[in-house]
């Protein structure tokens, strides 16, 4: 009788260990799973460094995160804040195509006529949707596109802020057309 009781207890323990090992095995991430610490939320503007990778000398968002970035969007570019370059535009392949995008109303500046404002090392310019600098960052300031007018750019102006808003003061101002060329 004692042996029978011991034997059924042993079967119960072996069975429990089997169940626990199955649960434990299923809890392990698959070989290609992202690290548990790398959390990318489609609603969050910032991407962590762990979501980034380099391919062929270009920065990319890892493919496993792209569905979250483009969920519900028909756009071919999406703006996110990257660890090393601030607001940036990313294409559907995950390639970072435009870095150092200027901020407008707490968001990335929007494209107008295929160009977007960029700010790098304190200088301002315009980039196209492929990331080419149509107007290299050489101005001290640039205002957002004004329909019917273009972009107002300045040399010698200074950025001012009240903590929430910012603007440019002083300097010499000119206007660039929708292709980034000076208007006389």
């Amino acid at each position: 009788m004692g042996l029978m009781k011991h034997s059924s207890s042993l079967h119960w323990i072996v069975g429990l260990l089997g169940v626990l090992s199955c649960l434990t095995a299923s809890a392990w991430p698959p070989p290609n799973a992202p690290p548990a610490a790398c959390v990318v939320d489609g609603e969050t503007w910032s991407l962590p460094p762990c979501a980034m990778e380099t391919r062929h000398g270009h920065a990319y968002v890892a493919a496993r995160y792209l569905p979250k970035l483009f969920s519900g969007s028909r756009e071919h570019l999406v703006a996110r804040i990257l660890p090393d370059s601030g607001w940036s535009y990313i294409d559907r392949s995950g390639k970072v195509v435009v870095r150092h995008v200027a901020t407008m109303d707490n968001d990335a500046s929007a494209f107008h006529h295929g160009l977007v404002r960029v700010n790098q090392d304190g200088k301002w310019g315009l980039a196209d949707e492929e990331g080419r600098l149509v107007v290299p960052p050489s101005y001290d300031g640039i205002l957002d596109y004004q329909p019917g007018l273009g972009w107002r750019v300045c040399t010698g102006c200074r950025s001012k802020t009240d903590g929430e808003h910012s603007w440019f003061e002083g300097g010499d101002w000119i206007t660039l057309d929708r292709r980034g060329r000076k208007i006389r």
Side-chain angles (χ1 to χ4, degrees), residues 89-125:
Y89 277 99
I90 301 156
D91 71 13
R92 287 191 170 273
S93 75
K95 184 177 181 183
V96 178
V97 292
V98 183
R99 293 176 179 267
H100 308 288
V101 174
T103 302
M104 181 65 174
D105 291 332
N106 298 321
D107 202 348
S109 285
F111 281 89
H112 298 281
H113 301 285
L115 300 176
V116 68
R117 298 180 312 143
V118 293
N119 180 345
Q120 187 172 7
D121 299 325
K123 294 293 184 178
W124 296 75

Side-chain angles (χ1 to χ4, degrees), residues 6 11 29-30 39 41 60 64 83 89 91 103 111 114 131 154-155 161 164 170 180:
H6 177 70
H11 285 290
V39 177
D41 181 356
Y60 282 82
R64 63 183 160 265
Y89 277 99
D91 71 13
T103 302
F111 281 89
C154 66
T155 53
T161 184
E164 183 178 349

